[in-house]
């Protein structure tokens, strides 16, 4: 059968390009530190508002997606990315106050609104990416999405580098760069109008994806609240919380604090390329059909453990070289000694990709139903964003860089026991059983009991 727009692969690719344009461009801006502003507090405070609202609406967006469907959920979410970047154009054009600072209130409000929209977009994206493929292809589809999505950040970083290539000293990102990002985000938002309704998505043999009828708003909220008592989700809360905690440190305390403006864009290109490679590689391992799902889960966990430990030990060694109190002369890519820090930053990108790909794959192993997985995706993004809000606040109050790094490393290590406990109890095939509210009912004997080989 030839190409079909209503095939699972076509829909995942479409969502990948939407995220290429919207979150991909957002990541490119965020990777510059402080949203591309010399006064990093502007971007940091906007990110606190963003991830605080994201944490709340990430949890609720499963219900919104199950009612509105992916087309309208993603369309509404995409518009908030355009508004957020527009707030930096307004900030650049605003007049300075008597003390030389500018009012960043609009940026904070726009950040909060983006938190609402991002919760909606990412919940819909997660449901599509995890529920549409067959079980043996879930890792592959996650890898496809992650590659397309992060290619957006690569392109965005190349745009930033091209415009700022002659600027060795740090300065605010220019309006033309922000407007270029806004234009790309607007295109991505409009792509959402082409998404097929889940009821029309079919596999090559004509089989429909699993989807349950929206119960009631009350039923949806009850189902979401029950996730906090689901032992599988409880096992993964530390891993979910850590999966974006490191962003503020990597972009604010390393890339934003240590490097020149043009070098930040240069570094980001390789950071996002590493994400593409890392996700694809670990996805291939997680989909390998020569062993059972439980074994693949253990392999994935082992790979993540080795990469994280090696990377963050290197990070601790590097961080000993400067503190927040130091008056740094920003490192440029033409300077001696640049390659080592660049390699570390690339490894940070690699760990981000393998960690989040593993999170998505574990959730995808728990259900095949798009309605259920939209709730899981919302729960994941809610917990993830709550962690990120705390992390950005820690960064904004000028916590010592080494303290930030140690907290990140400790939280990632604390995530491993819960992930191991769940991995040992995965089954080779998922059969969803639900109660009258549409909540998945898990067999209690799975907790410490036998699993399928």
């Amino acid at each position: 059968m030839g190409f079909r727009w209503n095939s699972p692969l076509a829909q995942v690719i479409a969502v990948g390009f939407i995220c290429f344009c919207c979150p991909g461009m957002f990541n490119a801006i965020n990777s510059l530190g402080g949203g591309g502003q010399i006064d990093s507090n502007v971007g940091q405070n906007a990110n606190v508002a963003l991830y605080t609202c994201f944490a709340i609406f990430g949890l609720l967006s499963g219900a919104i997606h199950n009612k509105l469907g992916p087309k309208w959920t993603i369309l509404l979410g995409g518009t908030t990315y355009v508004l957020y970047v527009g707030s930096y154009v307004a900030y650049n054009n605003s007049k300075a106050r008597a003390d030389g600072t500018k009012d960043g209130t609009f940026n904070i409000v726009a950040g909060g609104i983006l938190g609402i929209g991002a919760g909606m977009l990412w919940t819909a994206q997660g449901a599509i990416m995890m529920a549409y493929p067959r079980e043996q292809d879930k890792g592959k589809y996650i890898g496809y999405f992650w590659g397309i999505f992060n290619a957006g950040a690569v392109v965005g970083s190349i745009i930033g580098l091209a415009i700022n290539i002659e600027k060795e000293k740090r300065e605010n990102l220019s309006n033309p760069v922000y407007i270029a990002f806004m234009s790309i985000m607007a295109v991505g938002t409009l792509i959402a109008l082409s998404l097929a309704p889940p009821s029309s998505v079919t596999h090559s043999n004509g089989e429909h994806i699993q989807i349950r009828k929206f119960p009631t708003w009350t039923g949806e909220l009850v189902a979401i609240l029950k996730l906090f008592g689901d032992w599988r989700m409880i096992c993964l809360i530390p891993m979910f919380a850590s999966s974006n905690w490191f962003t503020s440190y990597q972009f604010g305390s390393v890339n934003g604090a240590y490097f020149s403006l043009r070098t930040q864009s240069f570094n980001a290109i390789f950071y996002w390329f590493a994400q593409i490679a890392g996700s694809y590689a670990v996805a291939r391992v997680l989909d390998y059909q020569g062993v059972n799902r439980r074994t693949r889960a253990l392999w994935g966990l082992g790979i993540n453990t080795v990469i994280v430990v090696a990377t963050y030990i290197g990070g601790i060694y590097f961080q000993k070289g400067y503190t927040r109190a130091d008056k740094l002369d920003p490192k440029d890519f033409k300077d001696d000694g640049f390659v080592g820090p660049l390699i570390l930053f690339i490894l940070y990108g690699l760990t981000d990709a393998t960690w989040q790909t593993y999170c998505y794959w574990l959730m995808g192993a728990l259900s095949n139903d798009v309605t259920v997985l939209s709730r899981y995706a919302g729960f994941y993004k809610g917990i993830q964003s709550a962690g990120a809000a705390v992390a950005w606040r820690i960064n904004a109050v000028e916590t010592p860089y080494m303290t930030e790094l140690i907290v990140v490393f400790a939280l990632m290590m604390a995530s491993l026991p819960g992930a191991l406990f769940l991995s040992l109890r995965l089954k080779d095939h998922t059969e969803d059983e639900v109660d009258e509210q549409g909540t998945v009912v898990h067999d209690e004997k799975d907790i410490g009991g036998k699993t399928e080989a």
Side-chain angles (χ1 to χ4, degrees):
M1 184 178 292
F3 177 81
R4 294 179 299 110
W5 187 247
N6 67 333
S7 69
L9 179 59
Q11 294 296 295
V12 170
I13 290 174
V15 172
F17 277 107
I18 291 169
C19 290
F20 172 105
C21 295
C22 295
M25 295 302 117
F26 169 83
N27 283 344
I29 293 174
N30 230 27
S31 64
L32 299 178
Q37 297 290 316
I38 293 177
D39 182 3
S40 61
N41 283 329
V42 178
Q44 290 165 346
N45 290 330
N47 279 327
V48 172
L50 190 165
Y51 288 110
T52 300
C53 292
F54 200 158
I56 298 169
F57 281 87
L59 291 171
L60 299 176
S61 290
I64 296 172
H65 169 265
N66 289 342
K67 180 63 176 178
L68 298 182
K71 176 193 294 186
W72 300 112
T73 303
I74 292 177
L75 180 71
L76 292 172
T79 59
T80 63
Y81 283 86
V82 181
L83 175 66
Y84 176 77
V85 178
S87 73
Y88 283 103
V89 176
Y91 183 83
N92 275 349
N93 294 333
S94 64
K95 294 182 179 180
R97 292 178 290 207
D99 60 359
T101 63
K102 292 184 177 182
D103 186 0
T105 302
F106 182 34
N107 301 85
I108 295 173
V109 172
I113 294 173
L114 175 56
I116 297 171
M120 295 169 66
L121 184 149
W122 278 107
T123 296
Q125 170 274 330
I128 290 172
M129 185 179 68
M130 293 187 289
Y132 283 18
R134 296 185 184 280
E135 289 186 339
Q136 66 270 23
D137 294 326
K138 291 196 175 189
K140 180 169 64 177
Y141 277 49
I142 294 170
Y144 287 160
F145 167 81
W146 211 258
I148 298 170
F149 155 52
N150 282 297
V154 171
V155 171
S157 298
I158 291 173
I159 293 172
L161 177 62
I163 293 177
N164 296 303
I165 189 65
E166 301 299 330
K167 301 174 182 177
E168 296 188 24
K169 295 183 178 180
R170 292 189 63 193
E171 57 183 71
N172 292 337
L173 206 61
S174 62
N175 284 343
V177 180
Y178 285 127
I179 292 171
F181 287 147
M182 290 175 66
S183 300
I184 296 171
M185 288 174 168
V187 171
T189 300
L190 294 176
I191 294 175
L193 293 172
S194 70
L195 293 176
S199 58
S200 70
V201 177
T202 58
H203 294 285
S204 57
N205 62 356
E207 180 182 344
H208 287 265
I209 63 169
Q210 292 186 32
I211 180 171
R212 301 183 187 278
K213 182 180 178 181
F214 183 84
T216 61
W217 283 107
T218 301
E220 277 290 333
L221 292 175
V222 169
I224 291 169
L225 290 174
K226 283 185 176 181
L227 294 177
F228 287 95
D230 184 336
W231 69 270
R232 290 162 171 79
M233 294 296 104
I234 292 172
C235 284
L236 293 177
I237 283 176
M239 183 166 267
F240 290 174
S242 66
S243 63
N244 235 354
W245 193 291
F246 42 68
T247 303
S248 60
Y249 170 75
Q250 292 172 6
F251 292 155
S253 303
V254 178
N255 204 36
Y258 191 78
F259 299 100
S260 65
L261 178 63
R262 67 179 185 179
T263 305
Q264 291 172 35
S265 294
F266 183 83
N267 293 346
I269 294 170
F270 292 93
Y271 181 96
W272 301 117
F273 262 127
Q275 291 243 8
I276 296 171
S279 179
Y280 178 79
V282 77
R284 298 290 291 181
V285 173
L286 295 172
D287 271 354
Y288 176 62
Q289 296 301 303
V291 296
N292 62 33
R293 183 185 267 174
R294 180 175 54 187
T295 300
R296 284 177 274 143
L298 294 175
W299 285 357
L301 185 60
I303 290 169
N304 271 290
T305 301
V306 171
I307 293 174
V308 168
V309 170
T311 299
Y312 280 84
I313 288 177
I316 291 171
Y317 177 80
F318 169 72
Q319 191 56 71
K320 289 181 178 180
Y322 69 101
T323 68
R324 192 180 286 274
D326 294 338
K327 300 297 182 182
L328 292 176
D329 184 16
K331 178 77 72 173
D332 192 72
F333 56 65
K334 290 184 177 181
D335 297 339
D336 293 336
F338 164 71
V339 174
L342 172 63
I343 292 174
L344 174 64
F345 197 64
I346 290 171
L347 290 174
Y348 280 146
L350 185 72
T351 58
D352 183 348
T354 59
W355 196 262
Q356 293 207 58
T357 297
Y358 188 65
C359 287
Y360 276 117
W361 184 85
L362 282 177
M363 287 185 287
L366 301 179
S367 177
N368 294 316
D369 190 300
V370 66
T371 305
V372 173
L373 286 170
S374 70
R375 298 172 190 148
Y376 287 176
F379 185 84
Y380 168 54
K381 300 306 291 188
I383 298 299
Q384 179 191 67
S385 300
V390 174
W392 278 107
R393 184 57 186 164
I394 289 173
N395 186 273
V397 298
E398 301 187 350
T399 300
Y401 293 147
M402 184 63 80
T403 302
E404 284 189 273
L405 175 58
I406 295 299
V407 170
V408 170
F409 189 25
L411 183 57
M412 296 183 84
M413 290 297 96
S415 305
L416 300 179
L420 176 62
F421 186 82
L422 176 60
S423 296
L424 290 171
R425 287 154 180 81
L426 290 181
K427 295 185 177 182
D428 267 355
H429 178 64
T430 303
E431 294 289 349
D432 291 304
E433 298 181 15
V434 299
D435 59 20
E436 59 272 14
Q437 277 89 31
T439 305
V440 174
V441 178
H442 298 300
D443 192 340
E444 291 300 322
K445 69 182 180 182
D446 289 345
I447 307 179
K450 291 178 65 177
T451 58
E452 297 179 5

